[in-house]
Amino acid sequence: MKDSNNFGFKYSIEGNKQTEIEAMTNQDFEVKSLGECTVTSPLYTAYKNTPMAEGLFVDNDDRILYDPTLEGFKKCLKEGTDPITFEKAGPREKIFFSPSNTKAAIVTCGGLCPGINNVIRSVVNGLYYRYNIKNIVGIPYGYEGLIPEFGHEWVDLTPEKVKDIHMFGGSILGSSRGRQNIERMVDTLERNNIKMLFTIGGDGTLSGNHVIQEEIERRGLKIATAGIPKTIDNDVNFIHKTFGFETAFTTAAPIIRDAHNEATGAYNGVAIVKVMGRDSGFIAANAALAMPDVNFVLVPESEFDLYGPNGFLESLKDRLVKGHHAVVVVAEGAGQNLFEDDQNVEKDASGNIKHQDIGLLLKDSISKFFKDQNFEATVKYIDPSYIIRSEPAIAADSIFCSSLAMNAVHGVMAGKTDFVVGRWNMHFTFLPIPTATSSRKKIDLSGELWWSVLENTGQPYSMKNEEK
Ligand code: ATP
Ligand code: MG
């Protein structure tokens, strides 16, 4: 059976359509570095007389296989090619920055996601305790905080300041959307003698990080930038899991349970639960697998029709006739094809398309469809998406956030730049930002995850009329 994700290719992205344009090569996975590492890491000094010295440290040529299957290995042997590999994250014996006089900054941008505060806390503690970097500032309200005219006062971050922040959702630094002037942001970094910038955010934040890095390079500065990818949707390619995602579907699961109770409480009761997932339906799919009372999972990857013999509404009616209740989990980006084409497309301050409310459309269409047929049904619509994204991280995500943050610190200390920390085949990795943002991870509709969804829900493979 195929992997459940479509890894391995660059795509051009246009709206929700991705077109494969070329195969990736190992060059796409080479992480940039500011220069030679000549400083002995304080971590090495601390552990050099212990067995840790053997096991803990990672060389730059330690790599993680992209494709761990025997077939992949045989294909490389047959073709005489090197397998695609990612740089292994972790502490290096020699580092680039010496702790004295080194100042670090942390910024969080884009929407909220469970675990941001855990990441901030662990970056601060990692820098402070492991690498003796005591000068750490928090940049408030996203990239706005790097533009002096906004007047957002920077926050000194110490272990004392961050000791309790993992208890809370949101970001203690706040966030913002909207483009800021790149030259002026780099002026701010330069003027304040910032040597390392940690950006916590989604694709937009990481793209911002990359252009900041380009400007840093153009000026010949030695400032390292690291991204910790924040996407509750788990839609970053070449990364198996992003932080906040597990919390999201774990929080959604009991809401779906309650929605099921609502649905069963009425004759032909229908409960619709909307979850996040702008372009990828991983939260919807996983929440439905975690709470398998769901009858329909609607995701952006699988277009569907409302009406017609094979459309969603007829399938829903079938389900009600057989079971007298139904639970529908819908990702926010699903069914966008159902809205009128001539509408004005709304965008947020960062230029992201604001999706139409598919949950409301479903509620209204279902109610009208059954009313017109004198078919008794009760429809309830539940939208917990903003509650979910401001939840504190669950235990598994807390651990994950700490490791991501610690590895970002290791990478930056070793002079790596323009990179994100990822997770692949049980290893933490470093990936170049342009590669991580070149395409979005989506549910493979011919893969195991989607198959499990179909098996658990009983919904048809396609609810589009012409495809059956
Ligand atoms: P999410 O979409 O998960 O909420 P995000 O990081 O993608 O998070 P955005 O609002 O799209 O959120 O972007 C965050 C910040 O990065 C914004 O201030 C945005 O203007 C900035 N940004 C995005 N792309 C670029 C770019 N190419 N150059 C400069 N800044 C950018
Ligand atoms: Mg985004």
Side-chain angles (χ1 to χ4, degrees), residues 203-204 278 352:
D203 53 342
R278 261 190 206 160
N352 302 304

Side-chain angles (χ1 to χ4, degrees), residues 34 39 95-99 102 195-196 222-224 412-415:
L34 293 178
V39 180
I95 55 176
F96 181 82
F97 288 105
S98 103
T102 299
K195 296 291 182 218
M196 37 186 80
K222 296 293 181 192
I223 302 176
V412 159
M413 290 307 299

Side-chain angles (χ1 to χ4, degrees), residues 109-113 142-144 175-180 182 185 200-209 211-212 230-233 235 278 348-352 389 440:
C109 314
L112 297 181
C113 172
Y143 289 135
E144 279 186 9
S175 182
S176 68
R177 294 197 190 274
R179 288 271 166 110
Q180 306 305 332
I182 303 301
M185 289 199 280
I200 305 170
D203 53 342
T205 307
L206 299 177
S207 301
N209 179 318
V211 287
I212 288 172
K230 169 222 66 125
T231 145
I232 200 166
D233 295 349
D235 58 355
R278 261 190 206 160
D348 69 17
S350 297
N352 302 304
R389 74 176 206 170
R440 281 212 182 86

